[in-house]
Structures are given as C-alpha cells and as structure tokens.
Amino acid sequence: MKKILALLLAVIMVLSLVACATTEKPAEDNKQNETTTKPEETKPEEKPADEEKPADEEKPADETPADAAEYAVAMITDYGDITDQSFNQTTYEACKAFAEKNNIEFKYFKPAGDNTADRVAMIESAVEAGFNVLVMPGYAFGGAIVEAAPQYKDIKFVALDVAKGDLLETAVAKAGETYDYEPDNWELSKYFDMSNVYCAVYQEELCGYMAGYAAVKLGYKNLGFLGGMAVPAVVRYGYGFVQGVDAAAKDMELTDVKCNYVYGGQFFGDADITAVMDTWYSKGTEVVFACGGGIYTSAVDAAKKANTKVIGVDVDQAGVIAKYAEVEGMTVTSAMKGLYPATYDALTDIIINGKWADYAGKIVTLGLVSGEDPTLNYVQIPMGDGTQWSDSFTTDDYKALVKDMFDGKITVSNKTSKDVSAADFATVITVDDQGQIKG
C-alpha cells in the first residue's frame, strides 16, 4: 500500500512540473514575437512658429491608452502633395507628429489623378491596408466621402475644409435630383449619412479680413487678390480680404485705395498667370494676396521683378516665399488657418481620449476662440516676424482688432453665393473684378 501511495505522489509531482513549464509567458515577453509596423524613427516635423502647439503634444508616449493600438491613421492628399508648403504639407506634418508621439501607425496615400474615382481608389487602398482613421484635406474630397463612407461604416473619416455643400453636390446627384449650390436649401441628412464622418471648415473670411486690414494700415493703397480656383474657401478668403481693405480705408478716411481681383482657375502658377501679375505690378499694384496652393509662385515671380510685395495664405509663408524667391522681406503677412492644431487635436480626442462620439456626424466651423490671445484662434495672421509690423499697425493694434471681431463689434460676411461679387463689399475703395484667367 505504501508503494502505491509513493507512486501516486511521484506522478502528481511530475504533472505539476509539466504544467509550470507550459504556463503562458507574460504579455510583455510575447511582444517580441509580434509583427507590427510602426512609424519611422525620425524626428517629428516642427510646426509653424505662429500656430499654437496642442497641449496633448507634451504627453509622454507611454501614457497612450492600450486601445489606441487598435488605430492606424492614413492621410490622403488632394490634388497637391505633402511638399506643397501649404494645406497638404501642414496636414501631413500634423498627422505624422501625432502618430510618432503616440506610437501609432501612419501612412499617406496620393491619388493618381485629380478626380473622385481616384480619391475613392485611395480610400479603398488605405482601408484594405488596415487603416481605420482616414484624414482628408480639401473640399475636393466631398464626392469621394459620399461614395466611400457608406461602404465603410467602421472607418472614421476626418475631413478638413469639406463643407455641407461639398457633400451635397454629389449626394443630391446620386438621389437623381439637381443641386442648386445653395446649401441652406437642403437637409443633408436626407441625402447622406454622416454617422462615421467628421468635417471641419474654417472661417477664412476672418483671416482674409485681418490680412487686408493690416495691409492698408501698413501703408499699401494698391492691392490685388489672386485666387486659385473659385471654390468656397478661396472665395471666402478673397471676399474677407476685400472687406478688410475697405474697413481699414474707411477707418483712415482714404478714398484712393484700389484692389484688383482675379482667380487663376487653377492651384499652381504658370507663365500666363505670371504675365497678368506682371501687368498688375507694372501698373502700380504694391502687394498681392496669393491664395491657392502653388499659385503663389506667379505672384512672387512678378513681385520679385517689380521689387514689390505679396501676402501668403494658409500658413505663415514668409519663409517659404523667401526661399523660393531667394529674397528676404517680400511677405507683408499671411492669412493663416490653424491646420496643424485642428488636425492634431482632433486625432488626439478621437484616438487617445476616445471621444469619437463628440465628432461623428458633425460639420464644425473653426474660427475665433479667444479675444485675448490671437495665437489660440484657428484663423489669424502671424504674431511674429511673419508680419511686417510698424508704428502704423502694431501687434497691440492687431490684438485690439481681433478682440473687436471676437466681441462682435466687427462682423465679416461669409457669403459666397453666385449672386455676390467682390465689388459688392466695397464702400470706399475701388475693386476691379477681372474674373478668371484660365478655364
């Protein structure tokens, strides 16, 4: 009997040792066997000096919640690319910095052509590659979102500068109806399900106003606006600029302020557009607000020959323009959108803070959020060297202007309907609306 008991005890001990040997290792030890794609180990791009750095950017990477690992971010460019020194590049840099900071996979995709079908194809490629948060900058994505979002309900679409009208244009057509390009006449929910889409648009008319007001206050009386294509965002910039020029002239009791106004019909400069700018400058134009991607090159080429000035757009373009022209001091100021913080903050809230419910289904207009600190606003002009301040218009003057705008003492129209023109906003200045150069 004793032998049998001893034998049983021996068997039990052996089984216990085997169980211990096959127990699963801690999760941390298993990580070495996982295959993951992580962001490049490169130094994050620095954001423009005049854009407020999001507070969350200071959070250590090891504070990232575990569920953030479920996300992978893809950016899809519009008709430009990530070196356009404007909208695409700033959005790309914000996505890249966010992903590197939080150890989240990120990649950008560039459509083969400038059309909805090619944009949809890139959305499909991104989804098939495992990306589930898609960032898309530019109104041109309206049609692609309407086509693709309903097919991928588990994908989060984050669209910058895509407005209600951009979505309606395709959504209404898909319903077999005719869109009249008056968004207020339509109920978007009847034509498109926004449940997995977030859109942010900007009040470009406000920073356009600031730039125009500043230019006149700084002593310029012969101005010009060169837009890219006459899309709503560019039109808002232009009409805001004219309103700012007019307001400053009125404040200064000037009656000899002039503003040429034209759209290039494209978002890049060329010889034909440069020729128009040459004519403007030769006839006395002192500064041109070049608004629309790479079209600034035509204004800069002409301004350099005439030893005159330009105004930048979207970001503080003083450095970009100086590098391109190989001449310092050509940029009077820039009408800026807070592209970087808008992108970074949205990704932080959606992925890190788990607040997608606060964003889904919304089209949010970003503008002034502070009357005391202009650098906190999503629309502004540079507070630093990017604006050529003088005794006639100081940073304190600018702060006072912003406070009046924030408090509602100054109102700026955002009308862009076809029955409105730039000249309609002129009360004491002369506007020469020259239509469109190309197309």
Side-chain angles (χ1 to χ4, degrees):
M1 184 69 179
K2 290 180 178 179
K3 289 182 178 180
I4 293 172
L5 290 172
L7 180 60
L8 288 172
L9 287 171
V11 170
I12 292 170
M13 290 177 67
V14 170
L15 290 174
S16 297
L17 290 171
V18 171
C20 290
T22 57
T23 299
E24 185 178 359
K25 292 182 181 180
E28 289 159 30
D29 291 337
N30 286 339
K31 283 185 180 178
Q32 61 184 346
N33 296 320
E34 295 177 0
T35 301
T36 57
T37 302
K38 294 185 178 180
E40 300 173 23
E41 294 297 324
T42 56
K43 185 178 179 181
E45 302 280 349
E46 289 185 4
K47 45 178 298 205
D50 289 281
E51 288 185 345
E52 187 70 13
K53 191 174 185 178
D56 289 292
E57 199 168 337
E58 297 299 329
K59 184 185 292 184
D62 60 7
E63 287 185 19
T64 303
D67 61 359
E70 300 174 4
Y71 293 100
V73 177
M75 174 198 163
I76 302 172
T77 65
D78 62 1
Y79 38 78
D81 58 38
I82 61 169
T83 60
D84 66 358
Q85 299 176 324
S86 187
F87 211 93
N88 285 287
Q89 183 170 346
T90 303
T91 306
Y92 167 79
E93 290 173 354
C95 290
K96 182 171 180 285
F98 167 82
E100 290 180 342
K101 188 72 175 180
N102 295 288
N103 200 32
I104 290 172
E105 184 180 358
F106 168 67
K107 182 178 180 180
Y108 83 94
F109 294 77
K110 182 177 179 180
D114 182 16
N115 56 74
T116 294
D118 285 333
R119 293 185 185 95
V120 170
M122 284 299 97
I123 290 173
E124 293 171 346
S125 295
V127 173
E128 288 170 4
F131 294 91
N132 51 13
V133 178
L134 308 186
V135 180
M136 294 158 288
Y139 79 98
F141 278 100
I145 292 170
V146 170
E147 296 287 351
Q151 308 302 318
Y152 301 107
K153 299 304 293 183
D154 57 340
I155 304 298
K156 295 174 174 58
F157 289 76
V158 178
L160 305 172
D161 246 15
V162 176
K164 178 182 177 182
D166 301 322
L167 299 169
L168 281 169
E169 184 174 1
T170 297
V172 171
K174 283 175 69 68
E177 300 179 36
T178 302
Y179 182 51
D180 62 0
Y181 293 91
E182 295 291 345
D184 291 341
N185 294 342
W186 303 81
E187 187 175 337
L188 180 59
S189 61
K190 290 183 178 180
Y191 299 89
F192 179 61
D193 178 10
M194 286 275 295
S195 60
N196 60 329
V197 178
Y198 163 67
C199 296
V201 294
Y202 298 86
Q203 291 182 285
E204 293 92 352
E205 69 277 5
L206 299 185
C207 51
Y209 182 100
M210 296 171 192
Y213 190 92
V216 174
K217 282 288 189 174
L218 290 169
Y220 298 98
K221 294 183 178 182
N222 292 294
L223 307 95
F225 173 82
L226 169 63
M229 296 175 67
V231 298
V234 174
V235 176
R236 286 193 293 270
Y237 266 130
Y239 289 177
F241 181 73
V242 171
Q243 291 175 74
V245 169
D246 189 75
K250 189 173 183 179
D251 287 351
M252 299 171 70
E253 299 183 345
L254 301 174
T255 58
D256 57 346
V257 176
K258 302 176 182 178
C259 184
N260 291 320
Y261 196 100
V262 76
Y263 297 104
Q266 60 191 36
F267 286 108
F268 56 91
D270 65 14
D272 294 331
I273 296 173
T274 301
V276 174
M277 295 297 99
D278 284 334
T279 300
W280 280 11
Y281 282 121
S282 68
K283 291 185 176 181
T285 297
E286 300 166 294
V287 59
V288 171
F289 178 19
C291 176
I295 203 166
Y296 78 90
T297 59
S298 280
V300 173
D301 288 341
K304 181 178 178 180
K305 286 180 279 186
N307 193 29
T308 48
K309 305 286 186 179
V310 294
I311 292 171
V313 73
D314 287 341
V315 297
D316 181 354
Q317 287 194 309
V320 170
I321 290 169
K323 182 177 180 180
Y324 173 78
E326 298 182 335
V327 175
E328 296 289 337
M330 289 186 66
T331 307
V332 173
T333 190
S334 295
M336 306 194 307
K337 297 178 184 178
L339 301 173
Y340 192 108
T343 304
Y344 196 105
D345 291 348
L347 291 175
T348 299
D349 258 1
I350 292 166
I351 295 176
I352 305 303
N353 299 331
K355 294 183 178 180
W356 172 243
D358 294 343
Y359 289 78
K362 296 181 180 178
I363 300 176
V364 176
T365 301
L366 303 177
L368 302 179
V369 295
S370 174
E372 303 300 326
D373 184 355
T375 66
L376 297 178
N377 294 321
Y378 286 105
V379 286
Q380 55 184 276
I381 62 174
M383 281 286 287
D385 294 337
T387 298
Q388 297 180 354
W389 309 104
S390 74
D391 291 342
S392 61
F393 190 67
T394 65
T395 55
D396 285 339
D397 294 329
Y398 169 55
K399 289 178 180 179
L401 174 69
V402 171
K403 189 174 190 324
D404 283 348
M405 295 172 74
F406 183 79
D407 291 342
K409 295 179 181 179
I410 295 174
T411 58
V412 184
S413 173
N414 64 354
K415 290 183 179 179
T416 59
S417 55
K418 293 183 179 180
D419 61 341
V420 178
S421 70
D424 293 336
F425 299 103
T427 62
V428 297
I429 66 171
T430 301
V431 175
D432 181 5
D433 192 336
Q434 299 176 16
Q436 187 165 296
I437 299 172
K438 313 191 82 170

